[in-house]
Amino acid sequence: MNIIVAIKQVPDLDYIRIRDRRPIMEDVPQVIGDIDKSALAAAVDLKESAGGNVIIVSAGDENLEDTIKEGLAAGADEAVLVKDARLAGMESSVIGTVLAATISKIENGGLIIFGEGSADNYSGQVVSRVAQILGYPQVGYVNWIEIEERVAQATRSLENEEETVEIPLPAVMSVVSEIKEPKIPSVSSILKARNKPKRVYTLDDLGIEIPENRYVRTVINLAPVSQRKGILIKSVDELVKVFESEGIIRR
Amino acid sequence: MAGILVYSENSKNAHELLTAATIIGSALGLEVRALSINNDTQAEDLAERCGEVYRIKEDSLKLSDTSAMASILDQVVRKLNISVVLLSSNRRGKELAGRVAQILDSGCLTDVYGIEVRDDGNIDCFRNGLGGLTVVSQVIDTEKKVIAIVPKIFEAMGNKITGVIRDVEVDVRSSGVNVVRTKTKVRDAVDIETSDIIVAVGQGLANKDDLPQVEKLAQLLEGEVACTKPVATDRQWLSEERIIGLSGKKCKPNLAILLGISGQVQFTVGIRDAKTIIAVNTDENANVKHISDYMLVADIKDIIPELIEKIS
Ligand SMILES: Cc1cc2nc3c(=O)[nH]c(=O)nc-3n(C[C@H](O)[C@H](O)[C@H](O)COP(=O)(O)OP(=O)(O)OC[C@H]3O[C@@H](n4cnc5c(N)ncnc54)[C@H](O)[C@@H]3O)c2cc1C
Ligand SMILES: Nc1ncnc2c1ncn2[C@@H]1O[C@H](COP(=O)(O)O)[C@@H](O)[C@H]1O
């Protein structure tokens, strides 16, 4: 049984500059988000008990193959990608459709693992949309997984409780970052990643058209106004003075 | 008349959603309805706050089975002619939202922390963009809309009326998810969101043994200890209730002291509304300097004891 991991290519948020409150997206490198890296690490861990391959699925723009290379170096066996310039920043309803169609092309997929939220949009929607389209059961916010033949056990980490469920496979899960610390790929695994199999589809291949009417429209996207003093202080004495001037402590 | 439906398994969250629903409902002429599943007490509590409560009693329907739950919501939405579904943006609510939206072929927004109904009937939803770097306002353009709202944004609706409870018949379609066991998380009653002073620690705190010092400092300043996500989830030194940020709490204290925190955007989004921010970090180029009013470039291991001594 293969384990499929959905990995999103996202802009590296550390490189986004703000000008006139607007985010400048030009020349921002594309990376894999931290939570998706944890999802991949968790999948690699389960590979043995599942007895199949770890397969990355991802939908994104032209840079996708480059970005996903890192995932192949981190232990995935193959990648099935959908590449289209329009897919960068595309809304969740379309991404859900695209990923579900991609996953349907993979044989013997038993468990499909997602991050609980993408590093940029962080909505957690894509997971549930894909599960619904495929008609699979799902369990979200998982911090522990064990696979036994055609069922899995997983622990959902909720605000006030941990709920361990049994779930028939195939199934969709989303994981929290603490499920597994991502591995930093070694040089040799980076080299090997180049030869790992990759399938690249276009939207046409999948027979998907991007609907003209969007489900969700973004009206405003601006950085909040922030005015900080930015004063460097040199000692604890100065810090205490700041406390006094801010009225935190009185002498 | 078309309606707006409120559902959360968490009663307090549901009461808050009723407030949001009333605002949207009165602006758009939608009748507010609440749904309660396998919880009679909740149904009665809701009926004191909302005219019409719909109750489902089905032993075979489990909260843990998101697929079955989403199908129930779909059935109720169609039966009651609902156009807006309001869910809680807690973990169960977020998981449910996307699945319900997919069945309804609708747009969906989660983690919504502000709502404004426009004259043209659009509901502007405010949420974080780019991991918290920006504030985004988004509108759902489909006929039906699913919106998950962050807890504690709206006041809970008070009990002031006598509504009716009606039972609804639904068809439960289990997806085979069964709970094996549940374990209550160790509760931490702290409420960092309402704290006036926050002392937050990050991974710059090298040793768990230094944590009592941080607590002492917070105590002296009459504030609360908070932290970055990895301190709670990876190291598990503090409870998850103390996490500030995108996947944690949004705080607006008068003063925030950030100790050994790099200031990545997912953290910053939860503290940028603080009136004054002081950071202590060994790296003078750490991103935290861009969000601080005062920055001290130093080792927190030295700073904390010295500071405690000087303000005691
Ligand atoms: C989708 C998503 C959601 C997330 N949500 C959250 C969230 O809600 N909250 C959150 O906090 N994070 C969140 N994160 C994680 C976030 O991206 C960062 O990884 C995290 O905030 C970093 O925590 P940190 O500052 O404690 O650690 P680090 O980034 O490791 O920073 C440690 C800092 O301590 C300094 N330091 C080291 N030693 C010392 C010393 N002795 N004295 C003084 N300074 C020292 C270092 O210079 C460094 O700046 C999220 C990530 C993703 C992808
Ligand atoms: N374009 C994409 N390609 C592959 N996986 C994605 C994509 N978008 C979202 N995902 C997956 O869905 C999860 C949740 O994303 P989101 O719904 O955007 O918060 C991510 O952590 C990924 O696992």
Side-chain angles (χ1 to χ4, degrees):
Chain A
M1 181 184 87
N2 294 316
I3 297 181
I4 298 170
V5 199
I7 286 190
K8 184 179 183 184
Q9 164 182 274
V10 292
D12 189 334
L13 304 178
D14 292 342
Y15 286 86
I16 301 177
R17 283 162 302 122
I18 301 292
R19 200 181 297 140
D20 298 331
R21 297 184 61 198
R22 273 171 224 285
I24 311 291
M25 304 306 289
E26 278 90 53
D27 300 325
V28 174
Q30 305 278 332
V31 293
I32 299 174
D34 287 344
I35 300 181
D36 289 2
K37 283 186 194 163
S38 291
L40 174 59
V44 171
D45 256 10
L46 289 166
K47 183 177 150 162
E48 212 169 301
S49 56
N53 279 341
V54 172
I55 305 172
I56 292 176
V57 294
S58 186
D61 67 10
E62 306 83 0
N63 303 311
L64 194 58
E65 284 169 84
D66 228 27
T67 310
I68 294 304
K69 241 193 302 187
E70 193 192 334
L72 290 167
D77 300 294
E78 33 180 313
V80 185
L81 310 175
V82 187
K83 215 162 63 167
D84 190 297
R86 291 169 296 173
L87 287 174
M90 180 52 72
E91 66 173 289
S92 307
S93 53
V94 175
I95 295 296
T97 311
V98 171
L99 290 180
T102 316
I103 291 164
S104 305
K105 297 243 175 218
I106 299 171
E107 273 175 26
N108 202 17
L111 178 59
I112 305 142
I113 304 182
F114 290 74
E116 52 126 327
S118 56
D120 53 351
N121 194 35
Y122 197 65
S123 84
Q125 249 190 75
V126 172
V127 189
S128 298
R129 286 191 182 269
V130 171
Q132 173 61 30
I133 298 169
L134 295 172
Y136 290 173
Q138 73 180 99
V139 45
Y141 303 94
V142 165
N143 66 12
W144 174 84
I145 307 172
E146 198 171 88
I147 295 178
E148 314 150 355
E149 297 286 319
R150 298 311 293 173
V151 295
Q153 288 212 358
T155 300
R156 195 186 247 134
S157 173
L158 296 166
E159 284 80 2
N160 297 326
E161 62 198 21
E162 295 207 327
E163 175 182 85
T164 302
V165 299
E166 197 169 68
I167 180 168
L169 299 177
V172 166
M173 293 189 191
S174 81
V175 300
V176 289
S177 63
E178 47 285 20
I179 191 165
K180 179 86 187 171
E181 181 132 5
K183 260 199 313 226
I184 296 164
S186 66
V187 177
S188 75
S189 57
I190 293 171
L191 291 175
K192 264 190 250 155
R194 275 191 291 198
N195 300 323
K196 289 187 174 174
K198 248 181 304 183
R199 269 189 276 169
V200 184
Y201 294 112
T202 62
L203 289 174
D204 281 347
D205 295 337
L206 299 173
I208 292 175
E209 272 180 53
I210 293 177
E212 241 169 72
N213 296 326
R214 291 296 155 84
Y215 284 29
V216 169
R217 188 158 38 93
T218 299
V219 188
I220 301 172
N221 179 23
L222 291 176
V225 200
S226 128
Q227 264 160 348
R228 293 290 167 192
K229 299 194 187 100
I231 299 171
L232 265 167
I233 48 177
K234 300 246 158 50
S235 64
V236 172
D237 286 331
E238 277 186 55
L239 189 56
V240 173
K241 285 214 184 82
V242 170
F243 282 180
E244 285 167 8
S245 67
E246 296 281 336
I248 306 300
I249 51 168
R250 269 185 299 272
R251 280 277 134 126
Chain B
M1 187 152 84
I4 174 165
L5 183 73
V6 160
Y7 172 71
S8 173
E9 80 292 345
N10 179 310
S11 297
K12 185 158 179 300
N13 294 1
H15 297 167
E16 294 167 7
L17 292 175
L18 281 177
T19 305
T22 308
I23 294 169
I24 300 172
S26 56
L28 298 181
L30 299 173
E31 222 148 294
V32 179
R33 276 120 189 210
L35 176 67
S36 175
I37 296 175
N38 291 338
N39 186 342
D40 282 346
T41 325
Q42 185 193 45
E44 282 156 26
D45 279 351
L46 285 169
E48 292 174 357
R49 295 166 170 83
C50 170
E52 266 176 86
V53 178
Y54 289 82
R55 174 172 61 188
I56 292 170
K57 282 186 179 184
E58 283 287 353
D59 286 342
S60 59
L61 178 59
K62 303 281 184 251
L63 290 184
S64 57
D65 188 345
T66 307
S67 162
M69 289 287 290
S71 142
I72 296 299
L73 269 129
D74 168 57
Q75 293 172 48
V76 172
V77 163
R78 288 175 203 277
K79 266 198 183 136
L80 303 182
N81 185 24
I82 296 298
S83 54
V84 180
V85 180
L86 290 191
L87 301 171
S88 170
S89 207
N90 60 2
R91 288 188 162 178
R92 279 206 203 280
K94 279 180 85 171
E95 194 178 323
L96 189 58
R99 192 141 188 162
V100 173
Q102 186 61 39
I103 308 182
L104 296 172
D105 190 23
S106 296
C108 167
L109 291 169
T110 60
D111 275 334
V112 171
Y113 55 68
I115 275 181
E116 259 173 52
V117 186
R118 300 257 165 237
D119 292 342
D120 59 6
N122 281 326
I123 308 168
D124 274 12
C125 295
F126 294 87
R127 48 191 300 275
N128 293 312
L130 294 172
L133 209 57
T134 56
V135 172
V136 179
S137 149
Q138 291 175 308
V139 169
I140 301 176
D141 274 338
T142 48
E143 194 194 321
K144 294 191 192 301
K145 308 173 204 312
V146 179
I147 303 173
I149 299 179
V150 175
K152 295 198 205 169
I153 296 290
F154 289 91
E155 291 278 328
M157 180 78 92
N159 51 337
K160 46 178 179 244
I161 50 173
T162 359
V164 289
I165 300 178
R166 297 186 214 281
D167 288 305
V168 243
E169 294 294 309
V170 285
D171 173 18
V172 179
R173 298 166 200 151
S174 160
S175 72
V177 172
N178 284 309
V179 175
V180 184
R181 61 179 172 272
T182 48
K183 199 175 104 195
T184 314
K185 281 191 181 172
V186 184
R187 284 283 298 161
D188 186 340
V190 68
D191 189 2
I192 60 168
E193 285 159 298
T194 55
S195 179
D196 201 39
I197 293 177
I198 280 184
V199 179
V201 282
Q203 298 198 100
L205 190 76
N207 223 312
K208 194 179 177 185
D209 296 339
D210 296 331
L211 209 50
Q213 291 269 6
V214 177
E215 279 155 3
K216 174 121 192 254
L217 178 62
Q219 217 172 26
L220 280 171
L221 297 170
E222 292 172 30
E224 292 290 357
V225 174
C227 61
T228 61
K229 185 168 168 234
V231 171
T233 58
D234 300 352
R235 297 186 179 171
Q236 307 195 343
W237 289 358
L238 289 164
S239 74
E240 289 174 22
E241 270 92 52
R242 293 184 192 262
I243 300 174
I244 291 174
L246 185 65
S247 45
K249 306 272 167 70
K250 216 172 155 70
C251 303
K252 309 187 192 71
N254 254 316
L255 173 73
I257 304 174
L258 313 181
L259 303 168
I261 292 175
S262 61
Q264 287 185 51
V265 55
Q266 295 95 350
F267 168 80
T268 308
V269 62
I271 199 70
R272 67 180 169 215
D273 294 337
K275 189 171 149 278
T276 303
I277 298 180
I278 302 174
V280 183
N281 198 304
T282 40
D283 175 6
E284 61 176 314
N285 291 317
N287 199 43
V288 73
K289 91 170 172 197
H290 301 298
I291 62 145
S292 320
D293 296 292
Y294 302 95
M295 173 143 162
L296 175 58
V297 179
D299 192 327
I300 51 173
K301 211 166 158 29
D302 307 328
I303 293 303
I304 300 173
E306 197 183 333
L307 190 55
I308 288 175
E309 196 196 306
K310 293 206 162 131
I311 61 174
S312 307

